[in-house]
Amino acid sequence: MRGWKPAPHVLLLLPAFVVLAAVVVVPLLLSLYSSFTPFRLTRPDTIYTFIGFRNYQRLFADMEFWAAFGRTVLLLTIALNLEMVLGLFLALLVEKATRGQRLLRTIMMFPMMFSPILVGFQFKFMFNDNIGLVNNALQSLGLTDQAIPWLIDGKLAFTSILIAEVWSSTSVFAIFILAGLMAMPKEPLEAAKVDGCTPLQSFRYVTWPFIMPFAFIAMTIRSLDIARAYDIVKIMTDGGPAKRTEILWTLISRTAYSDARMGLANAMAYVAIFLSILFTVMFFRQLAKARQQIGAEW
Amino acid sequence: MATVSLKNLVKKYGSLEVVHAINLDVADREFVALVGPSGCGKSTTLRMIAGLEAISGGHIHIGDREVNNLPPRQRNISMVFQSYALYPHMTVAENMGFSLKIAGRSQDVIASAVADAAKTLGLEELLDRRPSQLSGGQRQRVAMGRAIVRHPDVFLFDEPLSNLDAKLRMQMRTEIKKLHAKVQSTVIYVTHDQVEAMTLADRIVIMRDGHIEQVGPPEEVFRRPATRFVAGFIGSPTMNLHDAVVGDSKLIFGNGDTLPLPAQFRDRVTAGQKVIFGLRPDDLYPTGHGIHSGEAAEVHAVEVPVSLTEPLGNETLVFAEFAGQDWISRMLNPKTLRSGDKVELSFDLSQSHLFDAQSEKSLRG
């Protein structure tokens, strides 16, 4: 090494580069490369066979993949909208509380304190057609005398997953929107009252524009969350019945580990990540617009 | 255009009463200023008139309507807030036209009303900007524009100039006065700045601890303060106020120094009565340097040591020691004085005030 003397700044940054390369760059490149191979975990030497875009071609022609893709987008869309509306109501209610607001805020966060796996197990039990709480309640209340096959019927299973997902994460929206409400200056609201606004108009013209950026931050976070949803679905239905609730990551994990087709699974994963990036970019654009609109200084 | 009348208006927060049964009648087109130190209940009173604060007792009438239980939107008032309270996501034009939009007026009506207000306030160039792109003075003007487009019955101003720097404050003060002359509507204006109140208002309401101390035209509250508090609050620099005891045709101060008992109070006090003697700095001056050019009848001169001077250019405030207390005097056509110098101070006793030490009420008839 005599004669080569790196500049001090290069030398100082080198450890960071080495660590980053080891934990991020190399795995990323390796997985990207493997998506161009027929790599199977059971036959390690297949990683050296380069097959170009064949995995991607197969993927794009694969109805099962597109069904999972579409289901993920559907889950994301419905869950985000529901969580948004419910979170907004929750936040507005909690903000109105003059007493015990701290306690309410803490209670509101309870669902976030449980592991999604446990949430999955709990809802799986609740929606069990035989011994579940939901059917039991419906029957006791005389609303039905049938055992509704919550997790067995495809559409109902999707709904059940949706409910579990919304239950566990509505508070994300509620907390962000509540933060927005609490940071909001009160004078414009009073000005709106004097200007002749009904409470609904005050909300529509003054409060809503102000909390929109906060809602978009929550949407960005939650869209990433749902786009990578796996645990709740894995536990509740495992993509079943007959792949009716298969979403992107349950499909990817099945392809990678059960079918051992790592190359194909990696190709799917890159498409899934692309979806996430798309949503993130979209929401960040909206966020920037909303922030500029309220002249936010953050 | 409307009158405003408050009858036995009370505000309580829980068991704490902050406004104690106040009464006030504001005439149509009158400009009334509520002044007082912070926490005196003036803003609370204004907010009760606006309907932003529920009242705990009494009555509020705007015009001939009792508005006690009406929400702000049904009171036909406009309010200008200390923090401007502009809608950050709307342009200047949208801010000003918002109330008309809510009232369901047509685009044309809104546009022309906004254009009118913008012209009045010199905001034509700024109509497309957002509040974050405006300076403090411009924001305040927009807030006023928002108030005037509706032609409300009553304008309420809640310390509108407090967030502006001194120079801008003076400029805006003049503009508010012009604006009132132009729009000719009833104004209730809250401020803690007595200069603002004096310069703007037809009548001043001085409040303290939730009570009204005195109501009157600026000249009157300045010349004839009803209480010691009003005497100390109105006027800058503040009135010299010192404890004294009435003696035989004289006032005896704590250290034994005396002043002749002013003629106007001779029949109004009894020997031994504890009083507070008040004299404005304008009426206490180094001999030959006063506002009144010497012909005042009742001048008493005393030679005292100067403790401090504050030169202000065309005048100098001289702090001098008399009767063991510091007195502020105003010297016009100032000459140079240093602390420690002896100076002859003229007390214009015809302009003096006496307050009862106990009730703090003026002893003037």
Side-chain angles (χ1 to χ4, degrees):
Chain A
M1 292 293 277
R2 216 186 298 160
W4 188 72
K5 224 177 169 194
H9 60 274
V10 175
L11 202 63
L12 286 167
L13 285 173
L14 207 56
F17 275 117
V18 170
V19 171
L20 264 182
V23 302
V24 178
V25 181
V26 171
L28 203 67
L29 290 178
L30 193 66
S31 65
L32 184 64
Y33 165 75
S34 78
S35 73
F36 295 108
T37 68
F39 180 42
R40 281 172 172 270
L41 289 178
T42 45
R43 286 195 285 144
D45 55 327
T46 48
I47 199 169
Y48 300 113
T49 322
F50 189 78
I51 54 165
F53 283 95
R54 208 183 303 159
N55 279 335
Y56 289 92
Q57 278 165 1
R58 184 183 305 173
L59 214 62
F60 282 106
D62 182 2
M63 274 322 290
E64 205 172 273
F65 173 76
W66 285 114
F69 188 93
R71 226 171 267 125
T72 308
V73 175
L74 188 70
L75 180 71
L76 202 146
T77 314
I78 302 179
L80 277 190
N81 280 298
L82 268 181
E83 287 176 21
M84 165 81 212
V85 173
L86 292 174
L88 179 65
F89 272 107
L90 216 56
L92 287 172
L93 281 179
V94 171
E95 208 249 347
K96 281 271 173 288
T98 46
R99 253 175 218 217
Q101 209 194 68
R102 246 170 224 256
L103 186 72
L104 285 174
R105 283 206 303 260
T106 313
I107 292 174
M108 203 166 73
M109 290 176 72
F110 276 179
M112 290 169 71
M113 296 174 189
F114 300 109
S115 151
I117 300 266
L118 295 179
V119 174
F121 274 123
Q122 190 60 32
F123 275 86
K124 189 180 187 178
F125 157 68
M126 293 207 296
F127 282 116
N128 186 294
D129 53 340
N130 204 2
I131 54 156
L133 213 63
V134 177
N135 274 350
N136 222 317
L138 289 177
Q139 284 164 2
S140 304
L141 289 169
L143 293 174
T144 178
D145 50 1
Q146 316 247 306
I148 299 170
W150 288 108
L151 297 174
I152 295 161
D153 179 88
K155 277 193 183 129
L156 286 179
F158 186 80
T159 311
S160 307
I161 290 170
L162 191 67
I163 292 173
E165 190 68 53
V166 170
W167 179 84
S168 70
S169 299
T170 291
S171 42
V172 175
F173 273 90
I175 285 158
F176 272 96
I177 292 174
L178 187 61
L181 286 173
M182 283 165 47
M184 187 173 149
K186 294 290 165 271
E187 289 86 357
L189 266 183
E190 296 192 329
K193 277 190 200 167
V194 173
D195 269 348
C197 285
T198 60
L200 209 64
Q201 285 170 323
S202 297
F203 177 78
R204 156 81 181 77
Y205 292 109
V206 183
T207 310
W208 177 241
F210 193 87
I211 54 178
M212 221 150 57
F214 294 86
F216 280 126
I217 293 174
M219 279 202 193
T220 313
I221 292 174
R222 283 296 296 150
S223 73
L224 287 174
D225 256 4
I226 302 180
R228 58 158 206 218
Y230 172 73
D231 19 30
I232 288 185
V233 181
K234 173 76 186 168
I235 299 298
M236 284 179 71
T237 62
D238 197 11
K243 303 197 171 172
R244 289 262 183 73
T245 55
E246 189 88 291
I247 55 169
L248 272 178
W249 287 99
T250 53
L251 178 67
I252 292 168
S253 80
R254 197 187 318 283
T255 311
Y257 304 118
S258 305
D259 305 350
R261 291 152 77 183
M262 195 51 113
L264 182 63
N266 272 333
M268 288 178 178
Y270 272 95
V271 177
I273 284 168
F274 181 72
L275 177 72
S276 293
I277 292 174
L278 199 76
F279 272 103
T280 308
V281 169
M282 193 175 86
F283 286 129
F284 262 78
R285 285 225 175 119
Q286 297 289 332
L287 172 67
K289 217 191 288 174
R291 270 181 50 188
Q292 199 196 12
Q293 235 189 15
I294 61 160
E297 273 145 22
W298 39 273
Chain B
M1 308 301 142
T3 57
V4 176
S5 119
L6 314 180
K7 288 203 182 71
N8 296 318
L9 190 63
V10 175
K11 178 67 192 179
K12 284 182 193 166
Y13 292 108
S15 59
L16 181 72
E17 190 169 298
V18 293
V19 175
H20 314 286
I22 60 169
N23 289 287
L24 179 67
D25 283 300
V26 180
D28 186 23
R29 302 179 184 198
E30 194 179 15
F31 195 126
V32 166
L34 303 182
V35 277
S38 32
C40 72
K42 56 191 191 301
S43 279
T44 309
T45 304
L46 192 78
R47 292 169 58 81
M48 286 193 283
I49 299 171
L52 295 171
E53 207 66 75
I55 66 174
S56 316
H59 305 272
I60 302 175
H61 282 84
I62 297 177
D64 41 18
R65 285 194 305 164
E66 184 174 278
V67 297
N68 287 8
N69 298 312
L70 293 183
R73 65 176 186 276
Q74 290 172 16
R75 297 190 181 198
N76 199 20
I77 43 153
S78 281
M79 188 156 167
V80 177
F81 295 82
Q82 179 177 355
S83 58
Y84 323 127
L86 298 178
Y87 309 120
H89 54 289
M90 297 183 200
T91 62
V92 168
E94 287 166 343
N95 260 288
M96 296 208 290
F98 183 66
S99 59
L100 298 178
K101 180 178 161 188
I102 290 298
R105 302 295 174 76
S106 73
Q107 288 292 328
D108 295 345
V109 174
I110 298 175
S112 82
V114 168
D116 275 355
K119 201 173 156 203
T120 308
L121 293 160
L123 289 167
E124 290 117 315
E125 310 290 308
L126 307 173
L127 286 175
D128 295 326
R129 302 248 191 114
R130 284 188 200 283
S132 56
Q133 298 165 305
L134 301 179
S135 70
Q138 290 168 332
R139 286 181 205 189
Q140 195 49 270
R141 254 197 293 248
V142 176
M144 287 203 280
R146 190 169 63 177
I148 63 173
V149 289
R150 298 174 54 202
H151 299 293
D153 285 341
V154 184
F155 281 106
L156 306 174
F157 287 85
D158 188 4
E159 309 218 11
L161 307 183
S162 303
N163 284 6
L164 304 179
D165 62 57
K167 196 175 163 192
L168 205 53
R169 203 179 305 164
M170 230 167 94
Q171 205 179 323
M172 292 297 292
R173 210 163 68 200
T174 321
E175 288 197 25
I176 291 177
K177 194 153 193 176
K178 278 189 203 153
L179 194 69
H180 179 240
K182 199 182 283 182
V183 300
Q184 290 278 324
S185 48
T186 312
V187 175
I188 302 177
Y189 187 106
V190 163
T191 176
H192 63 263
D193 181 350
Q194 44 110 0
V195 181
E196 258 172 50
M198 295 286 284
T199 50
L200 287 170
D202 297 325
R203 272 196 307 157
I204 296 181
V205 178
I206 296 125
M207 292 186 68
R208 177 198 191 187
D209 297 338
H211 293 283
I212 290 180
E213 289 268 317
Q214 188 175 2
V215 182
E219 181 74 9
E220 187 184 303
V221 293
F222 183 79
R223 292 278 164 224
R224 304 172 71 88
T227 65
R228 181 199 180 281
F229 175 79
V230 175
F233 191 77
I234 299 287
S236 171
T238 52
M239 187 186 284
N240 296 294
L241 288 161
H242 296 298
D243 292 335
V245 177
V246 178
D248 184 19
S249 292
K250 60 189 176 187
L251 292 168
I252 308 159
F253 291 91
N255 71 342
D257 281 352
T258 61
L259 280 178
L261 183 61
Q264 54 171 325
F265 295 110
R266 260 171 218 157
D267 303 332
R268 303 188 176 277
V269 292
T270 51
Q273 187 177 354
K274 287 185 176 167
V275 294
I276 302 158
F277 174 78
L279 192 64
R280 293 213 181 272
D282 312 72
D283 305 316
L284 175 64
Y285 44 87
T287 306
H289 293 268
I291 297 176
H292 316 289
S293 42
E295 82 272 21
E298 228 187 325
V299 174
H300 177 79
V302 185
E303 198 175 68
V304 295
V306 172
S307 51
L308 192 74
T309 60
E310 279 182 3
L312 298 171
N314 58 343
E315 60 181 37
T316 295
L317 298 181
V318 179
F319 295 73
E321 206 185 301
F322 172 68
Q325 313 270 7
D326 250 344
W327 297 67
I328 310 176
S329 74
R330 180 171 270 166
M331 173 166 63
L332 300 183
N333 311 313
K335 60 178 179 187
T336 311
L337 284 176
R338 283 176 224 293
S339 46
D341 286 358
K342 288 275 186 180
V343 67
E344 190 190 81
L345 277 190
S346 290
F347 290 73
D348 184 350
L349 297 177
S350 68
Q351 301 300 321
S352 66
H353 305 264
L354 275 191
F355 303 94
D356 183 73
Q358 196 125 56
S359 68
E360 299 203 339
K361 292 218 165 77
S362 175
L363 292 168
R364 204 191 271 261

